[in-house]
Amino acid sequence: MTIEKLELFEVFVRPKRGLDHKHVGSLHAEGREQALEYARDVYTRRTEGISIWVVKSQDISASQEDDNECFFDPSDDKPYRHATYYPLPKEISTM
Amino acid sequence: MVNKMITNTAQETELERLFQAKIDTEQKIEPKDWMPDAYRQNLIRQMSQHAHSEVIGMQPEGNWITRAPSLRRKAVLLSKVQDEAGHGLYLYSATETLGISRAEMITALQTGTAKYASIFNYPTQTWGDMGAIGWLVDGAAICNQVSLQRTSYGPYARSMIRICKEESFHQRQGYQIMIELAHGTPAQKEMAQDSLNRFYWPSLMMFGPHDSESAHLARSMKWKIKRETNDDLRQKFINQTVSQINYLGLDHPDKALQWNEERGHYDSSELNWDEFYSVINGNGHCNRQRIQHHVKAHEEGAWVREATAAYNLKKQLKLARDAA
Ligand SMILES: [Fe+2]
Ligand SMILES: [Fe+2]
Ligand SMILES: [Fe+2]
């Protein structure tokens, strides 16, 4: 089977309990099972994680950098969403 | 048959031992791990109740969005309410990892099987209440949520971390409203005092009943679902609120409040627990209204869900036709 016939998978690894799975890279495989095994072999050879997710790359919907302006810009003019926008009087010890 | 049951029990005991060992060594429990059924049920109850509180909590503040005194204030309040909707979503999703569906949770809320924080059954009568809620209600919630960032269930802990990052703006904007009112005209100051008086006590009740009355406290602490007890968290909140009330120049609603050198804490008045249980059990000012409004919003949104489903179906049919 040529590599073109294989599917592309994205690999996510949970480094330890309590942390989110993090994207670590991708690989080619003929199916999910094989993708999981390959992911174990290539991305966790040094106990980098305790759990792996594989997702077909084509199943991921991604926003495009070109669209960033209309996608993310509206939050630029909302500084009041941050706590630092409201100065605390120095008399207040904790808040 | 009998033999099989015995092996099952022995196996369960071993699983439970491993489970507790993880918790004792501060490892998080993740969705696909084995967990005792009571741990799962306890989390579903607590987390869904928390999610419902975020969602129902939008109503008392939503009540003032159209009447905010300036465009800036309106934008701030809108942003806060929008955050709470997001918090509800984070928590519902985290709860779903335990094997309960969103629809089941919504039904439990709407039929009264599931509870939400009783504070949201109090009416919001003045603009000052927007100050008191952000400052005290979100403040008390933050106390609790900071502690829950260390809860033993991974998805719950992670949503708490995300939520706490967004919460501090909620408390600060509320306190700023209070500063402006308390340092304003005599009428404004009076409004601030009135809001403080009404929201102080129910905020303290947000921490739940006394530890001595809390049925599952020992177990929740052993499983590290809770990391600090209701009374300890409440005390923390009482202590830190004193200087905040002082700075506003308002009278402290608790006339019996007194610093206790020996304990290193403030002593305070007993809370009105009859009121607490009465509101929890459905007799607050706004209980019926809150649920009715939730049902109404849910039903009025039905056509959107139907339209989405119809559009999806249409797209699938087109795909199938094009493929053929
Ligand atoms: Fe909240
Ligand atoms: Fe929230
Ligand atoms: Fe909040």
Side-chain angles (χ1 to χ4, degrees):
Chain A
M1 193 182 263
T2 60
I3 196 153
E4 288 76 27
K5 295 260 175 64
L6 298 177
E7 271 198 276
L8 187 61
F9 285 83
E10 300 300 322
V11 181
F12 300 80
V13 171
R14 187 198 293 292
K16 62 182 252 217
R17 286 173 181 285
L19 299 182
D20 287 313
H21 284 78
K22 189 170 177 293
H23 186 243
V24 291
S26 49
L27 49 76
H28 284 94
E30 53 77 19
R32 314 145 165 264
E33 299 286 315
Q34 193 182 56
L36 259 186
E37 282 164 17
Y38 282 179
R40 176 201 57 200
D41 294 345
V42 295
Y43 287 110
T44 60
R45 283 195 305 275
R46 289 169 187 78
T47 57
E48 284 90 342
I50 56 132
S51 159
I52 303 174
W53 285 348
V54 290
V55 183
K56 281 185 190 167
S57 309
Q58 64 166 24
D59 285 343
I60 293 181
S61 310
S63 68
Q64 301 299 314
E65 284 262 356
D66 291 349
D67 301 336
N68 273 7
E69 210 171 300
C70 56
F71 220 71
F72 299 111
D73 261 9
S75 42
D76 281 352
D77 59 357
K78 297 181 177 60
Y80 50 80
R81 279 185 173 151
H82 299 270
T84 44
Y85 180 78
Y86 310 87
L88 259 194
K90 56 184 179 315
E91 289 85 348
I92 307 297
S93 46
T94 44
M95 180 173 285
Chain B
M1 187 68 194
V2 172
N3 268 339
K4 198 177 166 216
M5 275 173 66
I6 291 169
T7 356
N8 274 349
T9 322
Q11 230 171 41
E12 288 238 323
T13 319
E14 176 58 9
L15 286 170
E16 189 146 6
R17 195 188 60 75
L18 289 171
F19 166 83
Q20 190 63 48
K22 273 182 208 152
I23 289 184
D24 291 343
T25 52
E26 291 296 323
Q27 298 185 64
K28 300 290 179 213
I29 304 303
E30 294 295 346
K32 299 208 163 146
D33 293 344
W34 183 90
M35 60 187 87
D37 197 49
Y39 177 83
R40 188 186 298 276
Q41 295 312 324
N42 193 329
L43 275 172
I44 288 179
R45 187 183 45 74
Q46 181 173 328
M47 291 168 70
S48 65
Q49 187 171 316
H50 198 157
H52 298 325
S53 302
E54 301 285 352
V55 168
I56 296 293
M58 288 191 281
Q59 291 186 38
E61 290 179 303
N63 182 34
W64 279 89
I65 290 175
T66 54
R67 290 175 286 163
S70 70
L71 196 54
R72 189 179 66 89
R73 280 295 173 193
K74 193 196 288 272
V76 170
L77 192 56
L78 256 176
S79 280
K80 179 186 187 292
V81 171
Q82 193 182 28
D83 276 357
E84 306 300 4
H87 297 173
L89 174 70
Y90 303 164
L91 282 160
Y92 281 129
S93 311
T95 316
E96 282 171 80
T97 64
L98 291 160
I100 185 171
S101 73
R102 185 84 54 103
E104 285 173 283
M105 288 188 270
I106 302 290
T107 305
L109 169 68
Q110 294 187 343
T111 56
T113 330
K115 306 268 187 237
Y116 54 87
S118 62
I119 186 88
F120 301 121
N121 291 316
Y122 289 81
T124 42
Q125 301 170 358
T126 68
W127 176 250
D129 291 359
M130 295 305 98
I133 288 183
W135 168 37
L136 298 171
V137 176
D138 287 72
I142 291 170
C143 252
N144 189 33
Q145 290 171 167
V146 164
S147 173
L148 285 172
Q149 292 183 107
R150 293 164 52 240
T151 190
S152 58
Y153 187 54
Y156 195 19
R158 289 190 288 277
S159 8
M160 283 300 115
I161 292 169
R162 212 155 284 140
I163 286 176
C164 282
K165 268 194 204 142
E166 303 184 357
E167 280 291 347
S168 59
F169 127 62
H170 298 180
Q171 192 182 19
R172 297 262 191 115
Q173 64 84 33
Y175 194 61
Q176 204 195 39
I177 294 177
M178 292 303 281
I179 295 178
E180 279 166 20
L181 291 175
H183 297 171
T185 66
Q188 285 176 318
K189 185 170 180 184
E190 198 180 315
M191 181 186 276
Q193 182 71 58
D194 171 60
S195 296
L196 167 60
N197 292 348
R198 280 183 291 111
F199 278 92
Y200 182 75
W201 303 104
S203 300
L204 297 186
M205 292 180 199
M206 283 174 69
F207 295 98
H210 279 310
D211 298 346
S212 53
E213 303 291 317
S214 178
H216 301 301
L217 179 66
R219 202 179 63 183
S220 289
M221 296 294 284
K222 177 174 164 233
W223 281 341
K224 296 187 180 169
I225 291 178
K226 284 193 177 177
R227 302 306 306 254
E228 286 167 279
T229 73
N230 296 354
D231 284 331
D232 285 351
L233 287 167
R234 181 164 26 237
Q235 182 73 62
K236 230 184 224 180
F237 182 72
I238 291 174
N239 291 351
Q240 75 188 33
T241 307
V242 175
S243 69
Q244 297 163 7
I245 295 177
N246 269 342
Y247 178 76
L248 294 174
L250 299 177
D251 294 332
H252 200 293
D254 188 350
K255 300 296 169 238
L257 190 91
Q258 204 167 17
W259 177 251
N260 182 325
E261 192 66 57
E262 205 176 312
R263 290 201 311 127
H265 290 296
Y266 281 93
D267 290 336
S268 52
S269 300
E270 188 51 276
L271 301 176
N272 182 350
W273 293 108
D274 290 341
E275 176 183 318
F276 174 77
Y277 287 109
S278 160
V279 176
I280 281 268
N281 291 324
N283 302 313
H285 281 281
C286 304
N287 296 56
R288 274 162 290 267
Q289 185 190 332
R290 298 292 185 239
I291 293 302
Q292 272 166 14
H293 185 78
H294 190 277
V295 171
K296 181 168 166 265
H298 195 67
E299 282 170 0
E300 285 176 357
W303 72 270
V304 180
R305 295 187 289 276
E306 278 157 24
T308 312
Y311 179 66
N312 272 337
L313 186 70
K314 200 170 129 188
K315 264 200 312 197
Q316 271 165 21
L317 289 176
K318 186 178 181 322
L319 266 178
R321 254 201 325 272
D322 290 354

Coordinates of all heavy atoms in Angstrom, one line a residue, chain B residues 91 97 116 143 156 158 167 186 198 206 214 233 244 262 274 279 323-324:
Chain B
L91 N -19.4 23.6 31.9 CA -19.7 22.7 33.0 C -20.7 21.6 32.5 O -20.5 20.4 32.9 CB -20.4 23.4 34.1 CG -19.3 24.1 35.0 CD1 -19.9 25.2 35.8 CD2 -18.6 23.1 35.9
T97 N -19.2 14.1 30.2 CA -18.1 13.1 30.2 C -18.4 11.9 31.2 O -17.8 10.9 31.2 CB -16.7 13.6 30.5 OG1 -16.7 14.1 31.8 CG2 -16.3 14.7 29.5
Y116 N -30.3 24.5 41.7 CA -29.3 25.5 41.4 C -29.1 26.4 42.6 O -29.9 26.4 43.5 CB -29.7 26.3 40.1 CG -31.1 26.9 40.2 CD1 -31.2 28.2 40.7 CD2 -32.2 26.3 39.8 CE1 -32.4 28.8 40.8 CE2 -33.5 26.9 39.9 CZ -33.6 28.2 40.4 OH -34.8 28.8 40.6
C143 N -14.6 32.2 45.5 CA -14.0 31.5 46.7 C -14.1 30.0 46.5 O -13.1 29.2 46.7 CB -14.7 31.9 47.9 SG -13.8 32.9 49.0
Y156 N -13.7 18.5 35.5 CA -14.2 19.5 36.4 C -13.2 20.5 36.8 O -13.4 21.7 36.7 CB -14.8 18.8 37.6 CG -15.8 19.6 38.5 CD1 -16.4 20.8 38.0 CD2 -16.0 19.2 39.8 CE1 -17.2 21.5 38.8 CE2 -16.9 19.9 40.6 CZ -17.5 21.1 40.1 OH -18.4 21.8 41.0
R158 N -10.4 21.2 35.3 CA -10.0 22.1 34.1 C -11.1 23.1 33.8 O -10.7 24.2 33.4 CB -9.7 21.2 32.9 CG -8.4 20.4 33.1 CD -8.0 19.7 31.8 NE -8.9 18.6 31.4 CZ -8.7 17.3 31.9 NH1 -7.8 17.0 32.8 NH2 -9.5 16.4 31.5
E167 N -13.6 34.9 35.8 CA -14.5 35.4 36.9 C -14.0 36.7 37.5 O -14.8 37.5 38.0 CB -14.7 34.4 38.0 CG -15.7 33.3 37.7 CD -17.1 33.8 37.7 OE1 -17.4 34.9 38.1 OE2 -18.0 33.0 37.2
P186 N -25.9 61.1 48.5 CA -26.5 60.4 49.6 C -27.5 59.3 49.1 O -27.6 58.2 49.7 CB -27.2 61.5 50.4 CG -26.4 62.7 50.1 CD -26.0 62.6 48.7
R198 N -29.2 43.5 51.5 CA -30.0 42.4 51.0 C -29.2 41.2 50.5 O -29.6 40.0 50.6 CB -31.0 42.9 49.9 CG -32.3 43.5 50.5 CD -33.2 44.0 49.4 NE -32.7 45.1 48.6 CZ -32.4 45.0 47.4 NH1 -32.5 43.8 46.7 NH2 -31.9 46.0 46.7
M206 N -24.6 30.8 50.1 CA -24.1 30.1 48.9 C -23.1 29.0 49.2 O -23.0 28.1 48.4 CB -23.5 31.1 47.9 CG -24.4 32.0 47.2 SD -23.6 33.2 46.2 CE -22.8 32.2 44.9
S214 N -24.0 18.6 56.8 CA -23.7 18.2 55.4 C -23.5 16.7 55.4 O -22.5 16.2 55.9 CB -22.5 19.0 54.9 OG -22.1 18.6 53.7
L233 N -14.7 27.7 53.8 CA -14.8 28.7 52.7 C -15.6 29.9 53.1 O -15.2 31.0 52.7 CB -15.4 28.0 51.5 CG -14.6 26.9 50.8 CD1 -15.4 26.1 49.8 CD2 -13.4 27.6 50.0
Q244 N -13.3 45.3 52.4 CA -14.0 45.8 51.2 C -15.2 46.6 51.6 O -15.5 47.7 51.0 CB -14.4 44.6 50.3 CG -13.2 43.9 49.8 CD -13.6 42.5 49.2 OE1 -14.7 42.1 49.1 NE2 -12.6 41.7 48.9
E262 N -7.9 34.9 69.0 CA -7.5 33.5 69.3 C -7.7 32.6 68.1 O -6.8 31.8 67.7 CB -8.4 33.0 70.4 CG -7.8 31.8 71.2 CD -8.7 31.5 72.4 OE1 -9.2 32.4 73.1 OE2 -9.1 30.3 72.5
D274 N -33.7 28.8 58.2 CA -35.1 28.5 57.8 C -35.3 29.1 56.4 O -35.9 28.5 55.5 CB -36.1 29.1 58.8 CG -36.0 28.3 60.1 OD1 -35.5 27.2 60.1 OD2 -36.5 28.9 61.1
V279 N -36.0 28.7 50.6 CA -35.8 29.1 49.2 C -35.3 27.9 48.4 O -35.7 27.8 47.2 CB -34.7 30.3 49.2 CG1 -34.3 30.6 47.7 CG2 -35.2 31.5 49.9
A323 N -23.1 12.2 -5.1 CA -22.2 11.0 -5.1 C -22.8 9.9 -6.1 O -22.0 9.2 -6.7 CB -22.1 10.4 -3.7
A324 N -24.1 9.9 -6.2 CA -24.8 8.9 -7.0 C -24.5 9.1 -8.5 O -24.2 10.2 -8.9 CB -26.3 8.9 -6.7

